[in-house]
Amino acid sequence: MADQPSNTPCSRSKTTLLRKLFETPPSRRGENWRQEFYDTLPEAALGNPPPKIFYGPDRFPYFHLETDLETGEGELFCLANLLEYLTTHGLGAAVNPSRGAQEAEWVFSYGDLLSFRLVGAFSIDSTASKSEASRASAEEQVLVAAPSEEILPEYARNVLGRYLKESLGVQEPGVLLLSRSAPAVQQLVFSIFPEDYPEGQAFQAALQSLRWFLPRHYNLGAVPRHSPIAAHFSPLGE
């Protein structure tokens, strides 16, 4: 953790407030509760007891954070100071995980943390599809470009490139930004293709796994391997 920034003081009083917030049953945690949680968490002092990093049931890696400061080994963290480390190393974050990491008080995907680092908010209201990503047809008029640093910075490209190569078996990971007119929407498209998955459900599962790495307000698309659009992928990874 030598590369953790330390420019934001970690507040024990906000840790106390977090513990009080978590006393509210999940069924009663409305929008006001969520906003207070989001406002409090980034600067709250948190411990990092073993296992310091663990894999959740979704098979993604999470940095272990605890509001019980007595369980740690001396060093305290706050999420505001961890963002650069976590988003550079491809980690999510879990607050107060329990039962063998099967449950936690709160879980942030990599995409949630990337959103906070980019725009200062963990989630943004959007019309992004949470189901099957739509595919561009050959007849549709679209604009294709490389995603900007503001949309997908280099450190996130490196993380996604490693995942595509090591977990999805993509030899030449790539990404492009697709701007569609009907309806008007921008989609990130990665170099995975339905033709490479004999079972459609496996392709959808691969697409859905990529959502873990993206802010929730981002849209995800797909194109066939032989589409002219597929010639415009920008390389991902180091």
Side-chain angles (χ1 to χ4, degrees):
M1 292 300 299
D3 54 351
Q4 180 201 359
S6 57
N7 55 331
T8 300
C10 297
S11 168
R12 288 175 177 265
S13 63
K14 290 192 175 184
T15 311
T16 301
L17 179 54
L18 272 185
R19 288 198 289 264
K20 290 181 179 178
L21 284 169
F22 284 143
E23 291 174 2
T24 301
S27 60
R28 295 176 54 193
R29 297 176 185 179
E31 187 57 36
N32 290 338
W33 183 96
R34 182 187 295 260
Q35 190 56 57
E36 187 174 5
F37 171 71
Y38 284 161
D39 290 343
T40 303
L41 177 68
E43 296 179 5
L46 299 167
N48 177 227
K52 295 181 178 296
I53 296 173
F54 65 89
Y55 284 83
D58 56 8
R59 300 184 182 180
F60 288 117
Y62 292 90
F63 193 86
H64 183 176
L65 294 171
E66 286 283 349
T67 57
D68 182 358
L69 303 184
E70 302 302 319
T71 63
E73 298 176 351
E75 189 173 12
L76 297 180
F77 302 89
C78 50
L79 194 60
N81 288 342
L82 283 167
L83 274 177
E84 182 176 343
Y85 175 84
L86 298 177
T87 53
T88 298
H89 291 80
L91 301 173
V95 184
N96 294 352
S98 61
R99 295 181 57 187
Q102 296 299 305
E103 296 180 2
E105 288 282 9
W106 204 267
V107 174
F108 293 99
S109 69
Y110 178 87
D112 295 333
L113 302 179
L114 177 61
S115 177
F116 190 70
R117 183 172 176 181
L118 289 174
V119 299
F122 291 110
S123 62
I124 297 174
D125 290 338
S126 75
T127 58
S129 171
K130 297 300 186 292
S131 58
E132 179 176 349
S134 57
R135 305 177 194 175
S137 67
E139 298 80 14
E140 185 178 0
Q141 296 297 311
V142 297
L143 294 176
V144 180
S148 67
E149 279 287 308
E150 288 74 21
I151 293 174
L152 202 63
E154 182 178 4
Y155 57 85
R157 294 170 196 243
N158 292 337
V159 167
L160 279 157
R162 287 195 299 271
Y163 178 75
L164 283 163
K165 182 174 289 188
E166 297 172 7
S167 296
L168 298 184
V170 178
Q171 295 304 308
E172 297 182 357
V175 64
L176 59 81
L177 183 67
L178 195 66
S179 297
R180 307 175 66 172
S181 57
V185 67
Q186 286 189 324
Q187 296 177 324
L188 284 175
V189 179
F190 295 91
S191 55
I192 64 171
F193 306 101
E195 297 92 333
D196 296 335
Y197 293 81
E199 297 182 6
Q201 289 183 340
F203 176 65
Q204 287 303 316
L207 278 181
Q208 290 298 326
S209 71
L210 289 171
R211 291 194 183 280
W212 187 82
F213 296 92
L214 301 176
R216 295 174 189 264
H217 60 285
Y218 282 20
N219 289 283
L220 186 62
V223 297
R225 176 177 288 280
H226 299 297
S227 166
I229 295 171
H232 298 278
F233 283 109
S234 298
L236 277 173
E238 299 171 301

